[in-house]
Amino acid sequence: MASQSLVTLQHNNFLIGMFAFVIFASLVFSESLPTQNMSRKERTELRNEARDMFNHAYTAYMNNAYPADELMPLSCKGRYRGITPSRGDMDDILGNFSMTLVDSMDTLVLLGDFDEFERAVRLVIQNVQFDSDIIVSVFETNIRMVGGLLSAHVLTEHIQKNRGIMLWYNGEMLEMARDLGYRLLPAFNTSTGIPHARVNLRHGMKDDELKKSRETCTACAGTILLEFATLSRLSGDPVFEARAHTAMDALWKLRHRSSDLMGTVLNVHSGDWVRRDSGVGAGIDSYYEYLFKSYVLLGDDKYLARFNRHYNAVMKYVSEGPMLLDVLMHRPHAKSRNFMDSLLAFWPGLQVLSGDIKPAVQTHEMLYQVMQMHTFIPEAFTVDFQIHWGQHHLRPEFIESTYFLYRATGDHHYLQVGKKALKTLQKYAKVPCGYAAVNDVRTGKHEDRMDSFVLSETFKYLYLLFSDPRDLVVDVDEFIFTTEAHLFPLTIAQLGNTTFSFTRSDEHNMLDFMRTCPNSNRFFPERVRKPLRNFITGSCPRIPTGKRLRALDFQASNADHLRAIYDMGITMVSLGDGKAKSSDDGEMGLQFMQEMLELTKIQNMNQLAQLQAVAYSSDDNSKDWAALMAGPSHFGPELIGEQFIEGELVIASPFRACYELSNKEEISGRILIAQRGDCTFVSKARLAQAAGALALIVCDNVPGSSGETQPMFAMSGDGTNDVTIPVVFMYSQEFSKLVNVFKRKPKIIVRIMQMIEFKRWQLTMDSAKATAAKSTRTSITNGEISKGLDPSATNEPITLVDSQNIKDEL
């Protein structure tokens, strides 16, 4: 995130150079002191524990993984690109350039470990190089590597000046950052100026894999300017900042002019939106962050104006109390998904920096309750706070917001929250060789993964939270934190740049600079948190104690049924008892209820149209087909209408289908089954497609999960449309039913199709059976026996069915 100081948002017409920063600790008044203050002794102990956590993870990396990019804490060895088994697109962050070391060097400075910092700088200068035939993520390479090198360079010069050490250093890391920056520049050669998502470090965009590159995410393209502007101003080479400003200007022009919202995935050549989901989480998060921080670091007021426009739109359409729910940018009153992802936890910290404390407190409190409910904040959770994606990658965003809220308010509640987060990491994530990500917060099972941001951000923010700013070796109020928590000095604004203009754009007016924040003069967070204490426990669905009475089974003449619906708070009113004003009113009431039922059926139909079906016949002699619920994917072809895929099943080996498949000869021409986990959905799809599979079924890796109790979702891709086979997702309980049939009948034929089309097909077969039975009875009467129609004998689903019959069946 960014600087822990708060920028005053009162805009001036003259050039803004250095900004006035206000620490909100002064807002805490004696009449509203927190009830559970943490002693200085305990804070010191927790600060030292946070340092020990960093040292444990850092030492494990250096002893067992360096010079690899990442440590695999369960295997206790390094992760190398092209050597360690591939995780698909997840490995685009790797470039065989000692990423974890570069990313975490500035944390060593904050911890005061100058000896190890000097050793790390020497190792980077001597051993890290970028001339490799490797495709990397532009976004990740910029924030982790370019940002890490620049921050280490700035801090080296800082301790040279203030402590008289490392006098041998002569700007080598700045030159390395410029070399890497030039290797990223070919990605910006697009018709819009918006960079490609990936680039080859040696060949630029002249790589066969990149020839079809078209799409990138908003955050990927909009999280460049801080690093590139700092690189330009420190090196004197204006090209980097110029390209980053162009990309930001292009993104701004692509906002929806009516809602002022942004989508999440776009075409870098045409500027067309590929995914129009709009929120503050994955795919868009750091774009908003860099708008505001570009204003802080560079003094360009257009970025403040743009941030305010977007911020007002987010608070109008996306924010619902403490929750932040994605909407469609072009239809902002329509929700685009029913879950939130953990990356949105950075938002309260950004709100603190912009001065809007109250909603920051509310969202942070909601997230804290989610953490207490599930031990960690899961990668994604539903609107009723159940787990959607169960992973926890030891992300820093929640701790980051906790830190900024504490700096802004002085409320010791946030120290207690930080303590809870720290102790949870110690108990559930610490392993002998570092800290391991959690594969599923429900089971606590570990994943062989420790991202570089754990050292660069998670432990850094924990250490800062429990530290007195006066005791730190640098004054953090003189720096801004990037999205990777690298430190850039605010004096960057004074260096200037030949490509930079302070003139205000005509597209903005004074209203864009006048977003006012709540008056916080006598504000204390406890007043905001108190009404939210039972927010989650009061919202979560209770587990029913008995069997639920379904509307389909209800009988008005059954006394038990009447008693059951009375207990549910429903009262049956007889129209004949004079409750309606008149018989006409009663008639209209009955008509109204019928319309409501029809509306419900239509809504069910719409939901059903989004679902996929995995249909099968369990008996060769049976004409009865059953269908299991499945979810679609955002990548690969969508089966709609009469389209379907039919074939035999085969299980992937290895089951997770993240590495090269050993049973390719069995897969060709069949439908492949693979398990969720270890790599992305789209990576599994590409392996299945390369092996010649007709389609891919991905089953959940969480025992007991079911589409009956959990919302179905569409699997996300990575923006590259190269999957040509259908891919569907099944929860565990539904998949178990398919497995049971598969065990009895290994040659089972399954059909993947739209659920709504399966229902139509099923109704057609039922209708044909009834007609055949009637025809048979007629023939027997005439002394003959005839064979009835067998709709299942054809491979084409029959769709000529009365839609009203489908509604009635549903």
Side-chain angles (χ1 to χ4, degrees):
M1 281 286 300
S3 166
Q4 62 284 0
S5 304
L6 304 179
V7 178
T8 58
L9 297 182
Q10 298 166 336
H11 177 267
N12 298 309
N13 292 328
F14 55 87
L15 173 66
I16 299 180
M18 291 300 291
F19 298 99
F21 286 80
V22 182
I23 302 299
F24 272 74
S26 60
L27 300 178
V28 182
F29 289 82
S30 58
E31 66 268 23
S32 57
L33 286 174
T35 55
Q36 292 184 343
N37 280 356
M38 183 178 287
S39 68
R40 183 171 180 82
K41 179 175 181 281
E42 185 177 8
R43 286 185 62 185
T44 301
E45 291 172 349
L46 290 169
R47 182 195 66 191
N48 292 337
E49 188 171 359
R51 177 195 282 115
D52 292 342
M53 293 169 74
F54 172 87
N55 287 335
H56 175 67
Y58 177 84
T59 301
Y61 165 76
M62 293 302 294
N63 290 345
N64 302 283
Y66 174 80
D69 283 324
E70 289 181 351
L71 167 69
M72 296 191 293
L74 301 183
S75 305
C76 212
K77 60 185 180 181
R79 188 185 302 280
Y80 292 89
R81 184 78 173 268
I83 299 175
T84 312
S86 173
R87 299 174 298 173
D89 297 330
M90 288 176 62
D91 283 346
D92 284 348
I93 62 175
L94 309 178
N96 289 343
F97 36 37
S98 302
M99 182 176 63
T100 294
L101 179 60
V102 173
D103 208 7
S104 59
M105 283 192 295
D106 57 10
T107 309
L108 290 166
V109 177
L110 285 179
L111 269 58
D113 193 347
F114 298 126
D115 290 340
E116 182 57 32
F117 175 67
E118 182 171 7
R119 184 174 83 99
V121 171
R122 288 186 185 276
L123 287 173
V124 168
I125 293 172
Q126 293 168 4
N127 301 321
V128 173
Q129 61 85 31
F130 307 118
D131 186 22
S132 304
D133 185 10
I134 293 178
I135 295 175
V136 297
S137 162
V138 174
F139 164 72
E140 297 287 2
T141 303
N142 175 62
I143 65 172
R144 303 196 198 203
M145 294 297 298
V146 176
L149 289 167
L150 291 174
S151 182
H153 164 74
V154 167
L155 292 176
T156 302
E157 292 195 333
H158 178 85
I159 61 178
Q160 276 182 332
K161 178 181 178 181
N162 293 281
R163 298 194 174 251
I165 59 177
M166 295 183 67
L167 299 179
W168 56 267
Y169 177 75
N170 193 32
E172 290 88 347
M173 287 185 293
L174 176 59
E175 189 58 35
M176 293 177 70
R178 183 162 67 167
D179 174 27
L180 184 54
Y182 275 118
R183 295 177 186 277
L184 299 181
L185 282 181
F188 290 78
N189 294 329
T190 62
S191 55
T192 61
I194 297 171
H196 288 277
R198 302 184 300 160
V199 70
N200 187 296
L201 289 176
R202 178 176 293 168
H203 304 297
M205 298 305 296
K206 297 177 181 178
D207 187 292
D208 291 339
E209 284 189 46
L210 299 176
K211 287 182 179 178
K212 296 182 180 180
S213 173
R214 293 290 183 272
E215 297 170 2
T216 191
C217 70
T218 305
C220 300
T223 313
I224 304 288
L225 183 53
L226 293 188
E227 289 81 7
F228 269 34
T230 299
L231 178 56
S232 281
R233 298 191 183 201
L234 291 178
S235 68
D237 192 338
V239 63
F240 305 108
E241 182 171 352
R243 293 297 184 93
H245 280 301
T246 299
M248 293 295 273
D249 291 344
L251 286 172
W252 171 249
K253 292 175 183 177
L254 295 179
R255 76 192 184 283
H256 194 272
R257 297 305 176 95
S258 176
S259 68
D260 276 333
L261 292 174
M262 303 287 285
T264 53
V265 178
L266 55 96
N267 186 302
V268 297
H269 293 299
S270 67
D272 293 334
W273 288 104
V274 177
R275 291 190 60 181
R276 300 186 175 216
D277 307 65
S278 188
V280 298
I284 195 171
D285 49 355
S286 48
Y287 163 72
Y288 293 136
E289 179 184 354
Y290 269 40
L291 279 176
F292 184 76
K293 292 180 182 178
S294 295
Y295 163 67
V296 175
L297 184 64
L298 307 178
D300 189 344
D301 57 10
K302 74 180 180 184
Y303 290 114
L304 174 63
R306 292 176 183 180
F307 171 79
N308 284 341
R309 289 270 288 275
H310 284 316
Y311 185 85
N312 290 335
V314 167
M315 298 308 288
K316 179 178 180 180
Y317 299 116
V318 177
S319 176
E320 288 194 5
M323 298 192 296
L324 297 158
L325 305 175
D326 279 22
V327 299
L328 297 173
M329 60 178 288
H330 58 298
R331 289 192 290 127
H333 295 290
K335 302 301 178 191
S336 64
R337 63 185 192 182
N338 67 342
F339 63 91
M340 294 169 272
D341 64 72
S342 64
L343 287 172
L344 65 78
F346 92 100
W347 186 253
L350 184 59
Q351 289 179 308
V352 169
L353 294 172
S354 68
D356 204 359
I357 308 289
K358 182 176 180 180
V361 171
Q362 292 175 326
T363 298
H364 182 274
E365 179 62 21
M366 178 269 291
L367 291 166
Y368 182 43
Q369 292 186 34
V370 171
M371 187 188 89
Q372 291 174 298
M373 181 180 186
H374 298 298
T375 307
F376 292 103
I377 297 176
E379 191 71 356
F381 52 93
T382 61
V383 293
D384 58 356
F385 310 107
Q386 304 304 301
I387 294 171
H388 185 72
W389 298 327
Q391 304 95 330
H392 178 77
H393 299 147
L394 315 185
R395 293 194 185 277
E397 286 79 11
F398 178 70
I399 299 171
E400 172 186 11
S401 289
T402 304
Y403 165 68
F404 286 119
L405 274 164
Y406 175 67
R407 289 297 312 277
T409 66
D411 185 351
H412 281 224
H413 167 77
Y414 298 108
L415 294 177
Q416 300 294 345
V417 172
K419 176 182 177 180
K420 174 79 172 177
L422 183 150
K423 296 298 184 183
T424 301
L425 286 170
Q426 291 284 65
K427 183 176 180 180
Y428 296 103
K430 187 176 183 180
V431 294
C433 196
Y435 288 80
V438 178
N439 184 260
D440 194 315
V441 299
R442 287 163 288 204
T443 63
K445 181 183 177 183
H446 285 136
E447 185 176 345
D448 202 6
R449 170 178 179 177
M450 189 181 82
D451 291 86
S452 66
F453 57 66
V454 178
L455 290 165
S456 174
E457 299 183 77
T458 305
F459 295 143
K460 180 183 292 175
Y461 282 122
L462 277 174
Y463 181 81
L464 290 173
L465 175 63
F466 298 115
S467 298
D468 190 318
R470 296 171 297 182
D471 298 333
L472 295 172
V473 297
V474 297
D475 183 356
V476 288
D477 289 341
E478 296 178 356
F479 296 83
I480 191 169
F481 286 149
T482 69
T483 195
E484 194 72 8
H486 294 309
L487 287 79
F488 289 174
L490 295 172
T491 52
I492 286 294
Q494 297 176 330
L495 297 179
N497 190 287
T498 56
T499 66
F500 185 68
S501 173
F502 287 99
T503 57
R504 182 186 302 169
S505 170
D506 293 336
E507 67 189 11
H508 300 297
N509 55 54
M510 283 305 298
L511 292 177
D512 294 334
F513 300 94
M514 298 193 55
R515 181 179 65 80
T516 57
C517 302
N519 187 330
S520 300
N521 286 340
R522 301 185 68 80
F523 169 76
F524 197 73
E526 175 63 18
R527 300 173 186 173
V528 180
R529 289 195 304 269
K530 189 174 181 180
L532 296 172
R533 280 178 181 161
N534 298 317
F535 180 74
I536 288 183
T537 54
S539 304
C540 291
R542 291 184 296 273
I543 300 174
T545 55
K547 185 177 180 181
R548 182 177 69 87
L549 175 64
R550 299 189 306 162
L552 186 65
D553 301 326
F554 174 74
Q555 295 178 0
S557 59
N558 188 311
D560 291 335
H561 288 186
L562 291 173
R563 189 179 302 109
I565 65 167
Y566 180 80
D567 290 340
M568 295 180 215
I570 303 171
T571 304
M572 294 291 292
V573 178
S574 171
L575 293 177
D577 291 342
K579 296 296 183 182
K581 283 187 176 181
S582 66
S583 59
D584 289 341
D585 286 325
E587 199 69 38
M588 285 189 291
L590 181 60
Q591 184 178 359
F592 172 78
M593 291 303 295
Q594 289 172 336
E595 290 172 352
M596 288 294 290
L597 290 171
E598 288 300 315
L599 179 61
T600 302
K601 291 176 182 176
I602 292 172
Q603 290 173 338
N604 286 341
M605 289 280 286
N606 291 336
Q607 292 174 1
L608 202 65
Q610 302 298 319
L611 294 177
Q612 301 288 292
V614 177
Y616 62 91
S617 174
S618 58
D619 187 342
D620 289 332
N621 299 321
S622 172
K623 306 305 179 186
D624 294 326
W625 283 64
L628 298 168
M629 185 192 314
S633 67
H634 282 305
F635 53 89
E638 182 181 359
L639 298 174
I640 57 176
E642 298 182 3
Q643 298 173 340
F644 66 89
I645 292 290
E646 188 172 271
E648 292 184 17
L649 295 176
V650 61
I651 296 176
S653 179
F655 191 23
R656 294 244 167 135
C658 290
Y659 314 123
E660 185 175 355
L661 297 168
S662 61
N663 58 337
K664 290 182 180 179
E665 66 284 351
E666 300 175 17
I667 295 172
S668 181
R670 296 183 178 179
I671 296 174
L672 184 67
I673 298 174
Q675 189 182 48
R676 180 183 188 178
D678 292 349
C679 62
T680 61
F681 292 119
V682 72
S683 298
K684 300 175 192 291
R686 290 182 179 125
L687 281 174
Q689 180 174 296
L694 296 175
L696 172 65
I697 298 173
V698 180
C699 64
D700 199 9
N701 57 357
V702 179
S705 63
S706 170
E708 297 294 331
T709 58
Q710 294 174 257
M712 188 57 73
F713 64 93
M715 293 175 286
S716 298
D718 57 7
T720 303
N721 294 326
D722 57 354
V723 177
T724 59
I725 61 172
V727 184
V728 298
F729 174 82
M730 297 180 72
Y731 281 112
S732 296
Q733 289 190 20
E734 286 77 15
F735 179 68
S736 294
K737 295 177 182 177
L738 182 63
V739 169
N740 289 335
V741 178
F742 184 52
K743 288 178 178 178
R744 298 195 311 268
K745 184 183 175 186
K747 296 290 185 180
I748 182 176
I749 300 292
V750 301
R751 178 177 291 185
I752 301 175
M753 59 196 301
Q754 254 188 324
M755 181 64 82
I756 188 68
E757 286 302 319
F758 174 80
K759 290 292 184 181
R760 288 195 178 103
W761 183 41
Q762 195 175 46
L763 284 174
T764 302
M765 288 192 293
D766 291 344
S767 176
K769 287 177 186 176
T771 302
K774 182 177 179 181
S775 173
T776 300
R777 286 194 297 271
T778 303
S779 299
I780 291 174
T781 302
N782 295 332
E784 299 176 355
I785 298 179
S786 303
K787 186 176 181 181
L789 176 65
D790 180 8
S792 64
T794 176
N795 284 335
E796 294 294 333
I798 301 172
T799 58
L800 299 177
V801 181
D802 186 355
S803 61
Q804 184 59 46
N805 290 339
I806 299 175
K807 292 181 182 180
D808 293 341
E809 193 272 347
L810 290 174

